[in-house]
PDB file of all heavy atoms in Angstrom:
ATOM      1  N   GLY A 623      15.231  -0.733  -7.176  1.00 85.00           N
ATOM      2  CA  GLY A 623      14.221  -0.890  -6.133  1.00 85.00           C
ATOM      3  C   GLY A 623      12.895  -0.262  -6.527  1.00 85.00           C
ATOM      4  O   GLY A 623      11.828  -0.857  -6.323  1.00 85.00           O
ATOM      5  N   CYS A 624      12.956   0.944  -7.094  1.00 84.00           N
ATOM      6  CA  CYS A 624      11.722   1.587  -7.567  1.00 84.00           C
ATOM      7  C   CYS A 624      11.059   0.756  -8.658  1.00 84.00           C
ATOM      8  O   CYS A 624       9.825   0.610  -8.681  1.00 84.00           O
ATOM      9  CB  CYS A 624      12.034   2.991  -8.093  1.00 84.00           C
ATOM     10  SG  CYS A 624      12.557   4.160  -6.822  1.00 84.00           S
ATOM     11  N   PHE A 625      11.883   0.206  -9.541  1.00 80.00           N
ATOM     12  CA  PHE A 625      11.363  -0.637 -10.626  1.00 80.00           C
ATOM     13  C   PHE A 625      10.662  -1.884 -10.068  1.00 80.00           C
ATOM     14  O   PHE A 625       9.539  -2.219 -10.479  1.00 80.00           O
ATOM     15  CB  PHE A 625      12.508  -1.045 -11.544  1.00 80.00           C
ATOM     16  CG  PHE A 625      12.159  -2.141 -12.516  1.00 80.00           C
ATOM     17  CD1 PHE A 625      11.420  -1.865 -13.660  1.00 80.00           C
ATOM     18  CD2 PHE A 625      12.566  -3.442 -12.293  1.00 80.00           C
ATOM     19  CE1 PHE A 625      11.088  -2.877 -14.552  1.00 80.00           C
ATOM     20  CE2 PHE A 625      12.246  -4.454 -13.169  1.00 80.00           C
ATOM     21  CZ  PHE A 625      11.506  -4.176 -14.308  1.00 80.00           C
ATOM     22  N   CYS A 626      11.305  -2.559  -9.134  1.00 79.00           N
ATOM     23  CA  CYS A 626      10.726  -3.789  -8.569  1.00 79.00           C
ATOM     24  C   CYS A 626       9.432  -3.498  -7.812  1.00 79.00           C
ATOM     25  O   CYS A 626       8.443  -4.254  -7.931  1.00 79.00           O
ATOM     26  CB  CYS A 626      11.734  -4.475  -7.650  1.00 79.00           C
ATOM     27  SG  CYS A 626      13.180  -5.135  -8.500  1.00 79.00           S
ATOM     28  N   LEU A 627       9.431  -2.413  -7.041  1.00 80.00           N
ATOM     29  CA  LEU A 627       8.226  -2.067  -6.288  1.00 80.00           C
ATOM     30  C   LEU A 627       7.078  -1.690  -7.215  1.00 80.00           C
ATOM     31  O   LEU A 627       5.915  -2.052  -6.964  1.00 80.00           O
ATOM     32  CB  LEU A 627       8.533  -0.924  -5.323  1.00 80.00           C
ATOM     33  CG  LEU A 627       9.453  -1.275  -4.149  1.00 80.00           C
ATOM     34  CD1 LEU A 627       9.833  -0.028  -3.367  1.00 80.00           C
ATOM     35  CD2 LEU A 627       8.776  -2.292  -3.235  1.00 80.00           C
ATOM     36  N   LEU A 628       7.384  -0.973  -8.304  1.00 75.00           N
ATOM     37  CA  LEU A 628       6.341  -0.635  -9.270  1.00 75.00           C
ATOM     38  C   LEU A 628       5.821  -1.887  -9.976  1.00 75.00           C
ATOM     39  O   LEU A 628       4.622  -2.019 -10.219  1.00 75.00           O
ATOM     40  CB  LEU A 628       6.879   0.364 -10.296  1.00 75.00           C
ATOM     41  CG  LEU A 628       7.022   1.809  -9.813  1.00 75.00           C
ATOM     42  CD1 LEU A 628       7.621   2.675 -10.910  1.00 75.00           C
ATOM     43  CD2 LEU A 628       5.677   2.375  -9.378  1.00 75.00           C
ATOM     44  N   CYS A 629       6.736  -2.797 -10.301  1.00 74.00           N
ATOM     45  CA  CYS A 629       6.308  -4.058 -10.931  1.00 74.00           C
ATOM     46  C   CYS A 629       5.412  -4.853  -9.984  1.00 74.00           C
ATOM     47  O   CYS A 629       4.425  -5.463 -10.411  1.00 74.00           O
ATOM     48  CB  CYS A 629       7.538  -4.890 -11.315  1.00 74.00           C
ATOM     49  SG  CYS A 629       8.440  -4.269 -12.740  1.00 74.00           S
ATOM     50  N   TRP A 630       5.732  -4.826  -8.701  1.00 73.00           N
ATOM     51  CA  TRP A 630       4.919  -5.536  -7.718  1.00 73.00           C
ATOM     52  C   TRP A 630       3.514  -4.927  -7.627  1.00 73.00           C
ATOM     53  O   TRP A 630       2.517  -5.648  -7.543  1.00 73.00           O
ATOM     54  CB  TRP A 630       5.605  -5.491  -6.362  1.00 73.00           C
ATOM     55  CG  TRP A 630       4.839  -6.192  -5.271  1.00 73.00           C
ATOM     56  CD1 TRP A 630       4.032  -5.624  -4.333  1.00 73.00           C
ATOM     57  CD2 TRP A 630       4.806  -7.595  -5.025  1.00 73.00           C
ATOM     58  NE1 TRP A 630       3.499  -6.571  -3.502  1.00 73.00           N
ATOM     59  CE2 TRP A 630       3.956  -7.806  -3.908  1.00 73.00           C
ATOM     60  CE3 TRP A 630       5.405  -8.692  -5.628  1.00 73.00           C
ATOM     61  CZ2 TRP A 630       3.700  -9.069  -3.389  1.00 73.00           C
ATOM     62  CZ3 TRP A 630       5.147  -9.962  -5.109  1.00 73.00           C
ATOM     63  CH2 TRP A 630       4.304 -10.139  -4.017  1.00 73.00           C
ATOM     64  N   ASP A 631       3.448  -3.599  -7.673  1.00 68.00           N
ATOM     65  CA  ASP A 631       2.150  -2.928  -7.627  1.00 68.00           C
ATOM     66  C   ASP A 631       1.373  -3.099  -8.929  1.00 68.00           C
ATOM     67  O   ASP A 631       0.137  -3.050  -8.937  1.00 68.00           O
ATOM     68  CB  ASP A 631       2.340  -1.425  -7.342  1.00 68.00           C
ATOM     69  CG  ASP A 631       2.776  -1.168  -5.906  1.00 68.00           C
ATOM     70  OD1 ASP A 631       2.587  -2.064  -5.069  1.00 68.00           O
ATOM     71  OD2 ASP A 631       3.327  -0.076  -5.645  1.00 68.00           O
ATOM     72  N   MET A 632       2.104  -3.291 -10.028  1.00 64.00           N
ATOM     73  CA  MET A 632       1.449  -3.386 -11.341  1.00 64.00           C
ATOM     74  C   MET A 632       1.019  -4.816 -11.681  1.00 64.00           C
ATOM     75  O   MET A 632       0.338  -5.016 -12.692  1.00 64.00           O
ATOM     76  CB  MET A 632       2.398  -2.889 -12.442  1.00 64.00           C
ATOM     77  CG  MET A 632       2.653  -1.401 -12.435  1.00 64.00           C
ATOM     78  SD  MET A 632       3.959  -0.930 -13.601  1.00 64.00           S
ATOM     79  CE  MET A 632       3.306  -1.596 -15.134  1.00 64.00           C
ATOM     80  N   ARG A 633       1.440  -5.795 -10.866  1.00 63.00           N
ATOM     81  CA  ARG A 633       1.199  -7.186 -11.254  1.00 63.00           C
ATOM     82  C   ARG A 633      -0.288  -7.489 -11.423  1.00 63.00           C
ATOM     83  O   ARG A 633      -0.672  -8.398 -12.144  1.00 63.00           O
ATOM     84  CB  ARG A 633       1.810  -8.121 -10.213  1.00 63.00           C
ATOM     85  CG  ARG A 633       1.089  -8.158  -8.876  1.00 63.00           C
ATOM     86  CD  ARG A 633       1.895  -8.900  -7.813  1.00 63.00           C
ATOM     87  NE  ARG A 633       1.121  -9.097  -6.601  1.00 63.00           N
ATOM     88  CZ  ARG A 633       0.904  -8.169  -5.691  1.00 63.00           C
ATOM     89  NH1 ARG A 633       1.401  -6.951  -5.861  1.00 63.00           N
ATOM     90  NH2 ARG A 633       0.197  -8.451  -4.603  1.00 63.00           N
ATOM     91  N   ALA A 634      -1.118  -6.717 -10.744  1.00 56.00           N
ATOM     92  CA  ALA A 634      -2.560  -6.880 -10.892  1.00 56.00           C
ATOM     93  C   ALA A 634      -3.212  -5.538 -10.629  1.00 56.00           C
ATOM     94  O   ALA A 634      -2.973  -4.923  -9.605  1.00 56.00           O
ATOM     95  CB  ALA A 634      -3.098  -7.930  -9.913  1.00 56.00           C
ATOM     96  N   GLY A 635      -3.979  -5.099 -11.563  1.00 56.00           N
ATOM     97  CA  GLY A 635      -4.636  -3.813 -11.390  1.00 56.00           C
ATOM     98  C   GLY A 635      -4.586  -2.969 -12.645  1.00 56.00           C
ATOM     99  O   GLY A 635      -4.076  -3.399 -13.684  1.00 56.00           O
ATOM    100  N   PRO A 636      -5.086  -1.745 -12.567  1.00 53.00           N
ATOM    101  CA  PRO A 636      -5.170  -0.890 -13.743  1.00 53.00           C
ATOM    102  C   PRO A 636      -3.813  -0.470 -14.291  1.00 53.00           C
ATOM    103  O   PRO A 636      -3.711  -0.067 -15.451  1.00 53.00           O
ATOM    104  CB  PRO A 636      -5.948   0.336 -13.240  1.00 53.00           C
ATOM    105  CG  PRO A 636      -5.725   0.349 -11.751  1.00 53.00           C
ATOM    106  CD  PRO A 636      -5.636  -1.095 -11.368  1.00 53.00           C
ATOM    107  N   LEU A 637      -2.756  -0.523 -13.457  1.00 52.00           N
ATOM    108  CA  LEU A 637      -1.434  -0.122 -13.929  1.00 52.00           C
ATOM    109  C   LEU A 637      -0.754  -1.202 -14.755  1.00 52.00           C
ATOM    110  O   LEU A 637       0.251  -0.936 -15.407  1.00 52.00           O
ATOM    111  CB  LEU A 637      -0.547   0.241 -12.733  1.00 52.00           C
ATOM    112  CG  LEU A 637      -0.983   1.462 -11.905  1.00 52.00           C
ATOM    113  CD1 LEU A 637      -0.047   1.618 -10.714  1.00 52.00           C
ATOM    114  CD2 LEU A 637      -0.981   2.708 -12.764  1.00 52.00           C
ATOM    115  N   CYS A 638      -1.296  -2.423 -14.694  1.00 56.00           N
ATOM    116  CA  CYS A 638      -0.675  -3.539 -15.416  1.00 56.00           C
ATOM    117  C   CYS A 638      -1.100  -3.494 -16.878  1.00 56.00           C
ATOM    118  O   CYS A 638      -2.016  -4.195 -17.310  1.00 56.00           O
ATOM    119  CB  CYS A 638      -1.078  -4.870 -14.770  1.00 56.00           C
ATOM    120  SG  CYS A 638      -0.207  -6.285 -15.464  1.00 56.00           S
ATOM    121  N   THR A 639      -0.454  -2.654 -17.648  1.00 63.00           N
ATOM    122  CA  THR A 639      -0.734  -2.504 -19.075  1.00 63.00           C
ATOM    123  C   THR A 639       0.525  -2.789 -19.871  1.00 63.00           C
ATOM    124  O   THR A 639       1.652  -2.738 -19.339  1.00 63.00           O
ATOM    125  CB  THR A 639      -1.216  -1.077 -19.389  1.00 63.00           C
ATOM    126  OG1 THR A 639      -0.171  -0.157 -19.067  1.00 63.00           O
ATOM    127  CG2 THR A 639      -2.463  -0.729 -18.575  1.00 63.00           C
ATOM    128  N   LYS A 640       0.336  -3.072 -21.131  1.00 67.00           N
ATOM    129  CA  LYS A 640       1.473  -3.346 -21.995  1.00 67.00           C
ATOM    130  C   LYS A 640       2.369  -2.120 -22.095  1.00 67.00           C
ATOM    131  O   LYS A 640       3.601  -2.223 -22.084  1.00 67.00           O
ATOM    132  CB  LYS A 640       0.972  -3.744 -23.385  1.00 67.00           C
ATOM    133  CG  LYS A 640       2.094  -4.100 -24.348  1.00 67.00           C
ATOM    134  CD  LYS A 640       1.536  -4.527 -25.696  1.00 67.00           C
ATOM    135  CE  LYS A 640       2.681  -4.855 -26.649  1.00 67.00           C
ATOM    136  NZ  LYS A 640       2.172  -5.271 -27.997  1.00 67.00           N
ATOM    137  N   ARG A 641       1.748  -0.940 -22.183  1.00 64.00           N
ATOM    138  CA  ARG A 641       2.514   0.298 -22.279  1.00 64.00           C
ATOM    139  C   ARG A 641       3.385   0.509 -21.036  1.00 64.00           C
ATOM    140  O   ARG A 641       4.565   0.865 -21.139  1.00 64.00           O
ATOM    141  CB  ARG A 641       1.563   1.477 -22.451  1.00 64.00           C
ATOM    142  CG  ARG A 641       2.262   2.831 -22.573  1.00 64.00           C
ATOM    143  CD  ARG A 641       1.260   3.963 -22.613  1.00 64.00           C
ATOM    144  NE  ARG A 641       1.932   5.245 -22.728  1.00 64.00           N
ATOM    145  CZ  ARG A 641       2.347   5.788 -23.859  1.00 64.00           C
ATOM    146  NH1 ARG A 641       2.153   5.134 -25.007  1.00 64.00           N
ATOM    147  NH2 ARG A 641       2.951   6.952 -23.877  1.00 64.00           N
ATOM    148  N   GLY A 642       2.795   0.280 -19.849  1.00 65.00           N
ATOM    149  CA  GLY A 642       3.554   0.454 -18.614  1.00 65.00           C
ATOM    150  C   GLY A 642       4.705  -0.526 -18.501  1.00 65.00           C
ATOM    151  O   GLY A 642       5.810  -0.159 -18.082  1.00 65.00           O
ATOM    152  N   CYS A 643       4.473  -1.771 -18.898  1.00 70.00           N
ATOM    153  CA  CYS A 643       5.527  -2.795 -18.839  1.00 70.00           C
ATOM    154  C   CYS A 643       6.663  -2.461 -19.790  1.00 70.00           C
ATOM    155  O   CYS A 643       7.841  -2.626 -19.460  1.00 70.00           O
ATOM    156  CB  CYS A 643       4.937  -4.174 -19.160  1.00 70.00           C
ATOM    157  SG  CYS A 643       3.791  -4.795 -17.909  1.00 70.00           S
ATOM    158  N   VAL A 644       6.315  -2.018 -21.002  1.00 72.00           N
ATOM    159  CA  VAL A 644       7.343  -1.651 -21.979  1.00 72.00           C
ATOM    160  C   VAL A 644       8.178  -0.481 -21.474  1.00 72.00           C
ATOM    161  O   VAL A 644       9.407  -0.472 -21.591  1.00 72.00           O
ATOM    162  CB  VAL A 644       6.700  -1.311 -23.338  1.00 72.00           C
ATOM    163  CG1 VAL A 644       7.734  -0.710 -24.294  1.00 72.00           C
ATOM    164  CG2 VAL A 644       6.087  -2.557 -23.962  1.00 72.00           C
ATOM    165  N   THR A 645       7.510   0.510 -20.883  1.00 70.00           N
ATOM    166  CA  THR A 645       8.225   1.677 -20.369  1.00 70.00           C
ATOM    167  C   THR A 645       9.195   1.285 -19.260  1.00 70.00           C
ATOM    168  O   THR A 645      10.358   1.720 -19.250  1.00 70.00           O
ATOM    169  CB  THR A 645       7.233   2.729 -19.844  1.00 70.00           C
ATOM    170  OG1 THR A 645       6.375   3.139 -20.912  1.00 70.00           O
ATOM    171  CG2 THR A 645       7.974   3.941 -19.316  1.00 70.00           C
ATOM    172  N   LEU A 646       8.745   0.464 -18.320  1.00 72.00           N
ATOM    173  CA  LEU A 646       9.610   0.033 -17.224  1.00 72.00           C
ATOM    174  C   LEU A 646      10.784  -0.803 -17.735  1.00 72.00           C
ATOM    175  O   LEU A 646      11.909  -0.677 -17.265  1.00 72.00           O
ATOM    176  CB  LEU A 646       8.814  -0.744 -16.192  1.00 72.00           C
ATOM    177  CG  LEU A 646       7.866   0.065 -15.311  1.00 72.00           C
ATOM    178  CD1 LEU A 646       7.059  -0.855 -14.414  1.00 72.00           C
ATOM    179  CD2 LEU A 646       8.646   1.076 -14.472  1.00 72.00           C
ATOM    180  N   THR A 647      10.524  -1.660 -18.725  1.00 76.00           N
ATOM    181  CA  THR A 647      11.588  -2.476 -19.304  1.00 76.00           C
ATOM    182  C   THR A 647      12.642  -1.608 -19.980  1.00 76.00           C
ATOM    183  O   THR A 647      13.848  -1.832 -19.842  1.00 76.00           O
ATOM    184  CB  THR A 647      11.012  -3.477 -20.314  1.00 76.00           C
ATOM    185  OG1 THR A 647      10.022  -4.291 -19.680  1.00 76.00           O
ATOM    186  CG2 THR A 647      12.102  -4.375 -20.883  1.00 76.00           C
ATOM    187  N   LEU A 648      12.186  -0.588 -20.712  1.00 77.00           N
ATOM    188  CA  LEU A 648      13.124   0.334 -21.359  1.00 77.00           C
ATOM    189  C   LEU A 648      13.938   1.110 -20.328  1.00 77.00           C
ATOM    190  O   LEU A 648      15.122   1.388 -20.540  1.00 77.00           O
ATOM    191  CB  LEU A 648      12.355   1.308 -22.265  1.00 77.00           C
ATOM    192  CG  LEU A 648      11.810   0.723 -23.569  1.00 77.00           C
ATOM    193  CD1 LEU A 648      10.954   1.756 -24.293  1.00 77.00           C
ATOM    194  CD2 LEU A 648      12.947   0.260 -24.480  1.00 77.00           C
ATOM    195  N   GLN A 649      13.305   1.461 -19.210  1.00 76.00           N
ATOM    196  CA  GLN A 649      14.032   2.166 -18.153  1.00 76.00           C
ATOM    197  C   GLN A 649      15.154   1.302 -17.591  1.00 76.00           C
ATOM    198  O   GLN A 649      16.273   1.788 -17.363  1.00 76.00           O
ATOM    199  CB  GLN A 649      13.070   2.572 -17.043  1.00 76.00           C
ATOM    200  CG  GLN A 649      12.141   3.725 -17.418  1.00 76.00           C
ATOM    201  CD  GLN A 649      11.187   4.073 -16.291  1.00 76.00           C
ATOM    202  OE1 GLN A 649      11.164   3.418 -15.270  1.00 76.00           O
ATOM    203  NE2 GLN A 649      10.391   5.111 -16.494  1.00 76.00           N
ATOM    204  N   VAL A 650      14.867   0.027 -17.360  1.00 76.00           N
ATOM    205  CA  VAL A 650      15.890  -0.880 -16.845  1.00 76.00           C
ATOM    206  C   VAL A 650      17.027  -1.035 -17.863  1.00 76.00           C
ATOM    207  O   VAL A 650      18.215  -0.988 -17.506  1.00 76.00           O
ATOM    208  CB  VAL A 650      15.284  -2.260 -16.511  1.00 76.00           C
ATOM    209  CG1 VAL A 650      16.377  -3.247 -16.162  1.00 76.00           C
ATOM    210  CG2 VAL A 650      14.316  -2.134 -15.348  1.00 76.00           C
ATOM    211  N   ALA A 651      16.672  -1.200 -19.144  1.00 79.00           N
ATOM    212  CA  ALA A 651      17.699  -1.321 -20.187  1.00 79.00           C
ATOM    213  C   ALA A 651      18.569  -0.070 -20.240  1.00 79.00           C
ATOM    214  O   ALA A 651      19.798  -0.150 -20.379  1.00 79.00           O
ATOM    215  CB  ALA A 651      17.029  -1.564 -21.544  1.00 79.00           C
ATOM    216  N   GLN A 652      17.937   1.094 -20.118  1.00 78.00           N
ATOM    217  CA  GLN A 652      18.688   2.354 -20.159  1.00 78.00           C
ATOM    218  C   GLN A 652      19.652   2.449 -18.986  1.00 78.00           C
ATOM    219  O   GLN A 652      20.820   2.860 -19.146  1.00 78.00           O
ATOM    220  CB  GLN A 652      17.708   3.531 -20.145  1.00 78.00           C
ATOM    221  CG  GLN A 652      18.367   4.900 -20.308  1.00 78.00           C
ATOM    222  CD  GLN A 652      18.751   5.535 -18.991  1.00 78.00           C
ATOM    223  OE1 GLN A 652      18.015   5.412 -18.010  1.00 78.00           O
ATOM    224  NE2 GLN A 652      19.884   6.204 -18.959  1.00 78.00           N
ATOM    225  N   VAL A 653      19.205   2.066 -17.796  1.00 76.00           N
ATOM    226  CA  VAL A 653      20.062   2.147 -16.609  1.00 76.00           C
ATOM    227  C   VAL A 653      21.241   1.195 -16.734  1.00 76.00           C
ATOM    228  O   VAL A 653      22.385   1.544 -16.397  1.00 76.00           O
ATOM    229  CB  VAL A 653      19.247   1.838 -15.342  1.00 76.00           C
ATOM    230  CG1 VAL A 653      20.160   1.705 -14.131  1.00 76.00           C
ATOM    231  CG2 VAL A 653      18.213   2.934 -15.112  1.00 76.00           C
ATOM    232  N   VAL A 654      20.997  -0.024 -17.228  1.00 78.00           N
ATOM    233  CA  VAL A 654      22.081  -1.001 -17.391  1.00 78.00           C
ATOM    234  C   VAL A 654      23.107  -0.503 -18.409  1.00 78.00           C
ATOM    235  O   VAL A 654      24.324  -0.523 -18.162  1.00 78.00           O
ATOM    236  CB  VAL A 654      21.515  -2.372 -17.823  1.00 78.00           C
ATOM    237  CG1 VAL A 654      22.651  -3.329 -18.186  1.00 78.00           C
ATOM    238  CG2 VAL A 654      20.664  -2.969 -16.714  1.00 78.00           C
ATOM    239  N   LEU A 655      22.626  -0.041 -19.569  1.00 79.00           N
ATOM    240  CA  LEU A 655      23.533   0.461 -20.603  1.00 79.00           C
ATOM    241  C   LEU A 655      24.281   1.708 -20.130  1.00 79.00           C
ATOM    242  O   LEU A 655      25.402   1.970 -20.585  1.00 79.00           O
ATOM    243  CB  LEU A 655      22.746   0.788 -21.880  1.00 79.00           C
ATOM    244  CG  LEU A 655      22.141  -0.403 -22.624  1.00 79.00           C
ATOM    245  CD1 LEU A 655      21.261   0.081 -23.774  1.00 79.00           C
ATOM    246  CD2 LEU A 655      23.236  -1.313 -23.169  1.00 79.00           C
ATOM    247  N   PHE A 656      23.676   2.462 -19.254  1.00 73.00           N
ATOM    248  CA  PHE A 656      24.273   3.692 -18.759  1.00 73.00           C
ATOM    249  C   PHE A 656      25.308   3.425 -17.655  1.00 73.00           C
ATOM    250  O   PHE A 656      26.363   4.054 -17.621  1.00 73.00           O
ATOM    251  CB  PHE A 656      23.163   4.604 -18.223  1.00 73.00           C
ATOM    252  CG  PHE A 656      23.626   5.975 -17.823  1.00 73.00           C
ATOM    253  CD1 PHE A 656      23.685   7.002 -18.748  1.00 73.00           C
ATOM    254  CD2 PHE A 656      24.004   6.245 -16.525  1.00 73.00           C
ATOM    255  CE1 PHE A 656      24.118   8.268 -18.386  1.00 73.00           C
ATOM    256  CE2 PHE A 656      24.426   7.504 -16.142  1.00 73.00           C
ATOM    257  CZ  PHE A 656      24.483   8.517 -17.086  1.00 73.00           C
ATOM    258  N   SER A 657      24.999   2.467 -16.765  1.00 73.00           N
ATOM    259  CA  SER A 657      25.832   2.240 -15.584  1.00 73.00           C
ATOM    260  C   SER A 657      27.041   1.350 -15.848  1.00 73.00           C
ATOM    261  O   SER A 657      28.122   1.592 -15.294  1.00 73.00           O
ATOM    262  CB  SER A 657      24.989   1.628 -14.456  1.00 73.00           C
ATOM    263  OG  SER A 657      23.914   2.473 -14.117  1.00 73.00           O
ATOM    264  N   VAL A 658      26.861   0.322 -16.680  1.00 72.00           N
ATOM    265  CA  VAL A 658      27.951  -0.632 -16.909  1.00 72.00           C
ATOM    266  C   VAL A 658      29.220   0.041 -17.423  1.00 72.00           C
ATOM    267  O   VAL A 658      30.319  -0.208 -16.902  1.00 72.00           O
ATOM    268  CB  VAL A 658      27.488  -1.765 -17.857  1.00 72.00           C
ATOM    269  CG1 VAL A 658      28.677  -2.604 -18.298  1.00 72.00           C
ATOM    270  CG2 VAL A 658      26.456  -2.639 -17.170  1.00 72.00           C
ATOM    271  N   PRO A 659      29.138   0.934 -18.448  1.00 70.00           N
ATOM    272  CA  PRO A 659      30.369   1.596 -18.906  1.00 70.00           C
ATOM    273  C   PRO A 659      31.033   2.458 -17.842  1.00 70.00           C
ATOM    274  O   PRO A 659      32.259   2.600 -17.844  1.00 70.00           O
ATOM    275  CB  PRO A 659      29.879   2.463 -20.082  1.00 70.00           C
ATOM    276  CG  PRO A 659      28.637   1.808 -20.550  1.00 70.00           C
ATOM    277  CD  PRO A 659      27.998   1.266 -19.308  1.00 70.00           C
ATOM    278  N   MET A 660      30.246   3.042 -16.931  1.00 70.00           N
ATOM    279  CA  MET A 660      30.842   3.839 -15.860  1.00 70.00           C
ATOM    280  C   MET A 660      31.716   2.967 -14.961  1.00 70.00           C
ATOM    281  O   MET A 660      32.779   3.396 -14.499  1.00 70.00           O
ATOM    282  CB  MET A 660      29.747   4.526 -15.042  1.00 70.00           C
ATOM    283  CG  MET A 660      28.980   5.589 -15.798  1.00 70.00           C
ATOM    284  SD  MET A 660      27.792   6.485 -14.767  1.00 70.00           S
ATOM    285  CE  MET A 660      28.895   7.404 -13.687  1.00 70.00           C
ATOM    286  N   VAL A 661      31.279   1.743 -14.729  1.00 69.00           N
ATOM    287  CA  VAL A 661      32.073   0.810 -13.929  1.00 69.00           C
ATOM    288  C   VAL A 661      33.271   0.310 -14.736  1.00 69.00           C
ATOM    289  O   VAL A 661      34.387   0.179 -14.207  1.00 69.00           O
ATOM    290  CB  VAL A 661      31.205  -0.371 -13.461  1.00 69.00           C
ATOM    291  CG1 VAL A 661      32.046  -1.411 -12.713  1.00 69.00           C
ATOM    292  CG2 VAL A 661      30.069   0.117 -12.583  1.00 69.00           C
ATOM    293  N   MET A 662      33.061   0.050 -16.045  1.00 68.00           N
ATOM    294  CA  MET A 662      34.142  -0.443 -16.898  1.00 68.00           C
ATOM    295  C   MET A 662      35.289   0.554 -16.991  1.00 68.00           C
ATOM    296  O   MET A 662      36.456   0.169 -17.137  1.00 68.00           O
ATOM    297  CB  MET A 662      33.592  -0.749 -18.296  1.00 68.00           C
ATOM    298  CG  MET A 662      32.659  -1.946 -18.364  1.00 68.00           C
ATOM    299  SD  MET A 662      31.776  -2.080 -19.938  1.00 68.00           S
ATOM    300  CE  MET A 662      33.145  -2.306 -21.081  1.00 68.00           C
ATOM    301  N   ASN A 663      34.974   1.837 -16.926  1.00 65.00           N
ATOM    302  CA  ASN A 663      36.001   2.876 -17.028  1.00 65.00           C
ATOM    303  C   ASN A 663      36.469   3.379 -15.673  1.00 65.00           C
ATOM    304  O   ASN A 663      37.066   4.449 -15.584  1.00 65.00           O
ATOM    305  CB  ASN A 663      35.465   4.060 -17.849  1.00 65.00           C
ATOM    306  CG  ASN A 663      35.479   3.765 -19.335  1.00 65.00           C
ATOM    307  OD1 ASN A 663      36.354   3.071 -19.835  1.00 65.00           O
ATOM    308  ND2 ASN A 663      34.494   4.280 -20.039  1.00 65.00           N
ATOM    309  N   SER A 664      36.200   2.633 -14.630  1.00 66.00           N
ATOM    310  CA  SER A 664      36.559   3.058 -13.278  1.00 66.00           C
ATOM    311  C   SER A 664      37.760   2.273 -12.774  1.00 66.00           C
ATOM    312  O   SER A 664      38.235   1.325 -13.409  1.00 66.00           O
ATOM    313  CB  SER A 664      35.372   2.848 -12.331  1.00 66.00           C
ATOM    314  OG  SER A 664      35.176   1.456 -12.108  1.00 66.00           O
ATOM    315  N   TYR A 665      38.248   2.690 -11.595  1.00 63.00           N
ATOM    316  CA  TYR A 665      39.377   2.004 -10.979  1.00 63.00           C
ATOM    317  C   TYR A 665      38.977   0.670 -10.360  1.00 63.00           C
ATOM    318  O   TYR A 665      39.823  -0.039  -9.813  1.00 63.00           O
ATOM    319  CB  TYR A 665      39.994   2.907  -9.903  1.00 63.00           C
ATOM    320  CG  TYR A 665      40.681   4.126 -10.465  1.00 63.00           C
ATOM    321  CD1 TYR A 665      40.064   5.377 -10.433  1.00 63.00           C
ATOM    322  CD2 TYR A 665      41.940   4.033 -11.040  1.00 63.00           C
ATOM    323  CE1 TYR A 665      40.695   6.497 -10.952  1.00 63.00           C
ATOM    324  CE2 TYR A 665      42.573   5.143 -11.561  1.00 63.00           C
ATOM    325  CZ  TYR A 665      41.939   6.381 -11.519  1.00 63.00           C
ATOM    326  OH  TYR A 665      42.569   7.476 -12.038  1.00 63.00           O
TER     327      TYR A 665
END
């Protein structure tokens, strides 16, 4: 939710930079790689 809201605010304006987009994309990748194994090893 935080990611989507930040992307919505960044779609136009000074925050919409390549650096910001790359950082947010890496954050999403990190969360997915981090969360999926926790579910895989759960009941």
Side-chain angles (χ1 to χ4, degrees):
C624 292
F625 168 78
C626 293
L627 290 172
L628 284 178
C629 287
W630 180 261
D631 288 341
M632 290 172 57
R633 71 191 188 281
L637 295 176
C638 187
T639 63
K640 182 178 179 180
R641 180 185 180 84
C643 293
V644 171
T645 300
L646 287 175
T647 303
L648 287 174
Q649 287 179 356
V650 172
Q652 185 270 322
V653 171
V654 172
L655 292 174
F656 187 87
S657 301
V658 170
M660 293 185 69
V661 176
M662 291 168 62
N663 283 326
S664 71
Y665 291 102

